[in-house]
Amino acid sequence: MLAPFKLERYFARYEFTTRYLLCASDAEAMPIRDLLALEPGAAERFDDVWLGYTESRGSPELREAIATLYPLTGADGVLVHAGTQEAIFTLLSVLAGTGDHVIAQFPAYQSQYAVVEASGAEVSRWHSDLTRDGAPDPDDLERLVRPSTRALIVTSPNNPTGFVFERERLDRTIEFARKHGLWLVSDEVYRGSEHDPLWRLPPVCDLYERGISLGGTAKSYGLAGLRIGWTVTGDAQLYERLASFKDYLTICNSAPSEFLATVGMRHGDELIERVQRIVTRNLDLLDAYFARHTGTWQWRRPRAGTTAFPRYVRGDTDRLCAELIENAGVLLLPSSVFDCGNDRVRIGYGRANLPDALAVMERYIDDL
Ligand SMILES: Cc1ncc(COP(=O)(O)O)c(C=O)c1O
C-alpha cells in the first residue's frame, strides 16, 4: 500500500485557496504564448499538432532536445514521462521489490521512499546534516549497506534543503555504488537551478554505468503545467523494463505538452536564466529578512534549487504554518510533511510574488 503523500495532501488542501504561496518548489511559470514566442514559427506549428496517441517513449524531437543535457548517454537513453513523478514511480517500482533494500538520501521528496516501501522493500535513510548546509556524509554509507541493497537514491540539488553535491562528494558516492554494484538513482529535477553555474555537475547517467538521471520541466525551467519529466539511462535492458511498466500508466504523453516541452528544452538556457533572475532577487530578500530575525530563524543561503529549509527556533512549525494560513493567508510547508521533525519550514523562492508574501509573513510573525 502506498502511504499518503503528506506534502501533496497538504498542497491539495491549501495550494489554491491560500493567497500567498511561499513554499512552492516549482518556479514561476508562463503562458503558452510566451513559450511559443521563443521560437519563430512555433505558434503556427502548435496549431497543427496532431491530437492522436504519441510515441510511447517520447517524440524523437523531444528526446533529442532533452538529450543535449546528457551528451554521453544520448537520446536513445531518454524515456519521457508524465512528470518526474511518473518517472520516479516507474523506476522505483521496477528497481526494488519484496526482500530488497534501498538507501535514500533524507530528507527527500516522499515518493522516493514511499514507492520503495510500497513495493515491499526496506529503506534506510542517509541523513543530511541539517545543522550545516544539508550535506549527507559518504562515510555513513558503508554502515547502511546490506547484501540485499539494490539502489541508492540521491537528490541534488535537493528538495527541501537546496544542498548540491560537490564533485568530490558525488565521486565518492559513485565509488561506493560501484563497489557494491548498486543502481544510483539521481533525481536531478532541480539541475540547472544552481545559483552559480560553477556548482552544476555532470548528470549521473553520464558518469556511472548504473547511474540513472531523472529530470523534468517543472522546476529549473518553470514549466510545471506541461507535466513532462524523464528518465535517462545507458542500460538498454533497464530502459525496456521501464518502457513496459509505463504501458500500465499513461502509455504515452499528451501531444500538446510534448510539442511545448520540445520548444522549451530547445530554449532551456533562456528559461533557466529567466528563473534564475527571479531566484536571485528573492534570495537577496530572504537573506535580508533572515538577517533581521536571527533570534527567530536559523538560515543558510542555499547554493541551488528553489527551496530552503530554515529552522524556526521557537519550534512547533505545524502550529506556525496553520496560524499563518488562517490569519495571514501565507502558505509555508511544515517539516513534518517531510517526516523531519517539527521545527523547520520549507520556503520556496522561485515565484514572482515572494516580496509580497514575505512582507505579509514578516508582519505576522513580528506580532506574535
Ligand atoms: C525532488 C523532486 N522530484 C520530483 C518531483 C516531481 O516533479 P514533477 O512535477 O516533474 O512531477 C518533485 C516535485 O516537487 C521533486 O521535488
Side-chain angles (χ1 to χ4, degrees), residues 279-345:
V279 157
T280 306
R281 180 206 58 178
N282 287 349
L283 273 176
D284 290 346
L285 288 172
L286 286 173
D287 271 349
Y289 166 76
F290 286 114
R292 288 194 293 278
H293 299 282
T294 47
T296 311
W297 295 99
Q298 286 169 359
W299 161 255
R300 270 177 178 252
R301 184 180 174 115
R303 287 180 188 146
T306 49
T307 63
F309 207 41
R311 181 164 175 271
Y312 183 61
V313 298
R314 298 175 200 155
D316 200 356
T317 47
D318 279 345
R319 183 159 155 213
L320 173 71
C321 292
E323 289 177 356
L324 272 168
I325 293 167
E326 186 64 29
N327 303 325
V330 174
L331 188 64
L332 288 176
L333 276 180
S335 49
S336 60
V337 304
F338 286 93
D339 296 317
C340 198
N342 188 19
D343 64 348
R344 290 177 185 274
V345 298

Side-chain angles (χ1 to χ4, degrees), residues 6 17 23 55 68-69 79 93 123 128 132 146 233 316 329:
K6 292 184 188 168
T17 50
C23 59
E55 247 184 81
T68 57
L69 300 173
L79 179 62
S93 302
V123 178
S128 305
R132 299 160 73 95
R146 304 178 190 170
T233 169
D316 200 356

Side-chain angles (χ1 to χ4, degrees), residues 57-68 75 78 80-81 217 228-230 253-254 257-266:
R57 57 191 191 143
S59 74
E61 296 78 22
L62 177 54
R63 283 188 293 110
E64 284 296 339
I66 293 169
T68 57
V78 176
V80 184
H81 281 282
T217 59
I228 291 287
W230 51 83
N253 295 303
S254 138
S257 281
E258 285 217 341
F259 179 90
L260 296 169
T262 307
V263 174
M265 295 313 290
R266 284 188 188 136

Side-chain angles (χ1 to χ4, degrees), residues 31-42:
I32 290 177
R33 187 187 316 113
D34 291 2
L35 179 66
L36 291 173
L38 292 173
E39 195 165 293

Side-chain angles (χ1 to χ4, degrees), residues 146-157:
R146 304 178 190 170
S148 56
T149 310
R150 297 285 164 259
L152 167 61
I153 306 170
V154 298
T155 308
S156 175

Side-chain angles (χ1 to χ4, degrees), residues 89-123:
F89 186 78
T90 301
L91 178 63
L92 298 182
S93 302
V94 164
L95 285 187
T98 307
D100 292 336
H101 172 248
V102 166
I103 302 170
Q105 183 187 347
F106 191 84
Y109 192 57
Q110 191 178 339
S111 48
Q112 294 177 2
Y113 48 96
V115 174
V116 176
E117 283 164 351
S119 75
E122 263 189 80
V123 178

Side-chain angles (χ1 to χ4, degrees), residues 25 83-85 88 109 112 155 159 187 189-190 218-219 227:
S25 60
T84 317
Q85 181 76 303
I88 294 173
Y109 192 57
Q112 294 177 2
T155 308
N159 167 20
D187 187 329
V189 73
Y190 296 92
K219 316 295 179 183
R227 306 309 303 128

Side-chain angles (χ1 to χ4, degrees), residues 6-198:
K6 292 184 188 168
L7 174 151
E8 299 297 351
R9 286 296 93 209
Y10 203 84
F11 270 126
R13 246 177 108 187
Y14 301 117
E15 181 176 2
F16 292 99
T17 50
T18 308
R19 176 139 189 227
Y20 297 105
L21 201 57
L22 192 51
C23 59
S25 60
D26 57 321
E28 186 74 18
M30 58 172 69
I32 290 177
R33 187 187 316 113
D34 291 2
L35 179 66
L36 291 173
L38 292 173
E39 195 165 293
E44 292 73 31
R45 284 187 287 125
F46 187 51
D47 283 345
D48 288 333
V49 168
W50 188 255
L51 293 176
Y53 281 116
T54 59
E55 247 184 81
S56 178
R57 57 191 191 143
S59 74
E61 296 78 22
L62 177 54
R63 283 188 293 110
E64 284 296 339
I66 293 169
T68 57
L69 300 173
Y70 310 96
L72 300 184
T73 307
D76 283 346
V78 176
L79 179 62
V80 184
H81 281 282
T84 317
Q85 181 76 303
E86 187 187 67
I88 294 173
F89 186 78
T90 301
L91 178 63
L92 298 182
S93 302
V94 164
L95 285 187
T98 307
D100 292 336
H101 172 248
V102 166
I103 302 170
Q105 183 187 347
F106 191 84
Y109 192 57
Q110 191 178 339
S111 48
Q112 294 177 2
Y113 48 96
V115 174
V116 176
E117 283 164 351
S119 75
E122 263 189 80
V123 178
S124 293
R125 295 174 177 192
W126 183 25
H127 286 281
S128 305
D129 184 356
L130 296 178
T131 61
R132 299 160 73 95
D133 51 4
D137 183 352
D139 282 343
D140 295 342
L141 289 168
E142 287 294 344
R143 270 183 273 122
L144 298 175
V145 73
R146 304 178 190 170
S148 56
T149 310
R150 297 285 164 259
L152 167 61
I153 306 170
V154 298
T155 308
S156 175
N158 186 265
N159 167 20
T161 65
F163 179 75
V164 60
F165 279 53
E166 312 85 349
R167 182 62 199 253
E168 197 245 336
R169 194 181 304 271
L170 181 62
D171 285 344
R172 287 180 61 203
T173 305
I174 292 175
E175 213 174 284
F176 164 82
R178 185 175 278 128
K179 177 176 163 201
H180 294 280
L182 308 183
W183 295 105
L184 180 55
V185 175
S186 178
D187 187 329
E188 296 164 7
V189 73
Y190 296 92
R191 184 164 175 261
S193 67
E194 298 77 9
H195 308 149
D196 179 339
L198 285 175

